[in-house]
Amino acid sequence: MRKTTLALLLAVWGVTFSSPAAADLKVFACEPEWAALARDVGGDKVDAYSATHARQDPHHIRAKPSLIARIRRADMVFCSGADLEVGWLPLLLQRGARAGVQPGTTGHLMAAEQVPVLEKPAVVDRSLGDVHPGGNPHVHLNPENILIIATELGKRMMALDPENAAHYRNRMASFSKSWRAAMDRWKHRTAKLSGMPVIVHHKSFSYLFDWMGLKEVATLEVKPGIPPTVSHLNGLLRTAKSVNVKTILRAPYDPSDGADWLSAKTGIPQVELPYTVERNAPAGALINLFDRTITLLEGAHAGS
Ligand SMILES: [Zn+2]
């Protein structure tokens, strides 16, 4: 009798606890920008988690147990790809992630596979320490890429959660409309920044510069992932003076010593660009990211 009661109770609990959870599409995003985009497109039907936060360097993350626990529950894995996460995502996927999120499946979405990748090396030699062997993986800072990737994301969500297909379709349509309007505003604002010479710590902003027409004169890193050396910095000192560099840019997780040194020697101001959104950023955060980034670059252009 007790057994029957317990079984009945478990059945009731099973229904109570599993039904609402089953309605949510669980997205494991490697970086905060993809979690934010999943929230923009999926709304309340999606539970999006970001493995990293805005001040963490996504090239170098430890495959820790809390991330393994998260990826095991995921219905979709959404990352930059192009080897940005090569040091940690394959390990996480091997530790019990579902078949439906493994490479080649609908639940495995790599942003860089959806858009043209910049800076693809002709010859790959990782012994030189280059962390971009598959080309530049920081694809999210071109707003046109965001639209392309969002469209694919919407399709994948509809395929994985067909019951809510109309919900995703409607949200995708309204996201696309507001994003296009924002792009028009940004194009208007950034026209005067075209051609502005800048130095960056790491090639984190190549897609943004490509879209805006900014001129990346040099990087503080010797190569992507290789920290600045004295001889490299001395070379940059000559470059910065000869081409009238306006600003030295870095992401929040980049070390500041190289930028500090060059800025002190040249008087060129350095600016930290946000690079991405906060980990638990609400829907709409990606628009704010571009607004803030453009405001900072306008300030650098004006010399403020
Ligand atoms: Zn990188």
Side-chain angles (χ1 to χ4, degrees):
M1 188 63 195
R2 272 182 65 188
K3 259 189 185 169
T4 319
T5 314
L6 187 63
L8 191 67
L9 264 175
L10 282 174
V12 171
W13 285 343
V15 169
T16 314
F17 290 118
S18 70
S19 293
D24 281 343
L25 194 67
K26 288 191 173 54
V27 177
F28 178 99
C30 289
E31 291 86 22
E33 62 270 21
W34 305 131
L37 190 58
R39 286 181 203 117
D40 277 336
V41 175
D44 61 2
K45 304 293 182 211
V46 163
D47 175 11
Y49 169 82
S50 173
T52 56
H53 61 72
R55 302 195 78 84
Q56 271 179 309
D57 181 347
H59 306 84
H60 304 290
I61 298 296
R62 201 168 62 82
K64 55 187 181 185
S66 61
L67 295 182
I68 295 168
R70 283 283 181 170
I71 206 166
R72 280 182 176 167
R73 297 199 291 271
D75 303 303
M76 177 186 262
V77 169
F78 183 16
C79 300
S80 296
D83 289 329
L84 178 61
E85 304 94 355
V86 73
W88 51 286
L89 182 61
L91 256 164
L92 291 178
L93 286 168
Q94 285 161 20
R95 300 286 172 86
R98 292 170 180 163
V101 301
Q102 299 293 338
T105 62
T106 307
H108 186 92
L109 177 55
M110 297 295 113
E113 290 173 10
Q114 309 301 322
V115 295
V117 168
L118 301 175
E119 299 160 8
K120 263 200 172 153
V123 182
V124 176
D125 185 357
R126 291 207 80 162
S127 67
L128 298 172
D130 192 336
V131 294
H132 292 168
N136 190 315
H138 306 281
V139 297
H140 69 286
L141 288 175
N142 179 331
E144 282 169 14
N145 286 353
I146 291 284
L147 202 53
I148 295 167
I149 295 157
T151 305
E152 181 62 24
L153 174 66
K155 282 186 201 160
R156 303 274 184 114
M157 285 178 171
M158 283 187 245
L160 293 169
D161 182 16
E163 258 180 53
N164 293 310
H167 165 86
Y168 298 121
R169 194 175 296 113
N170 291 340
R171 285 197 66 97
M172 191 52 228
S174 76
F175 174 79
S176 173
K177 195 175 163 202
S178 54
W179 194 260
R180 282 178 200 281
M183 281 207 294
D184 285 345
R185 290 200 307 273
W186 297 329
K187 267 288 175 202
H188 188 72
R189 287 177 66 187
T190 57
K192 63 177 175 296
L193 305 181
S194 181
M196 177 166 85
V198 299
I199 286 180
V200 294
H201 178 89
H202 173 79
K203 285 183 162 291
S204 310
F205 308 102
S206 301
Y207 290 85
L208 179 73
F209 301 162
D210 183 51
W211 183 70
M212 288 175 38
L214 247 63
K215 198 171 155 206
E216 184 184 296
V217 171
T219 60
L220 292 170
E221 287 183 330
V222 180
K223 275 178 172 294
I226 306 293
T229 59
V230 172
S231 67
H232 183 66
L233 285 172
N234 278 318
L236 294 185
L237 199 54
R238 290 189 290 275
T239 309
K241 283 176 180 164
S242 65
V243 293
N244 190 26
V245 168
K246 281 281 191 182
T247 179
I248 303 162
L249 303 168
R250 60 187 175 83
Y253 56 79
D254 288 329
S256 68
D257 44 358
D260 290 341
W261 183 88
L262 191 61
S263 183
K265 287 274 181 193
T266 58
I268 299 167
Q270 56 166 310
V271 176
E272 182 186 287
L273 295 181
Y275 177 74
T276 189
V277 299
E278 291 303 318
R279 189 180 211 167
N280 296 312
L286 284 168
I287 287 195
N288 292 337
L289 169 68
F290 282 90
D291 279 334
R292 280 174 58 211
T293 301
I294 292 167
T295 301
L296 287 164
L297 291 173
E298 283 170 338
H301 185 260
S304 60

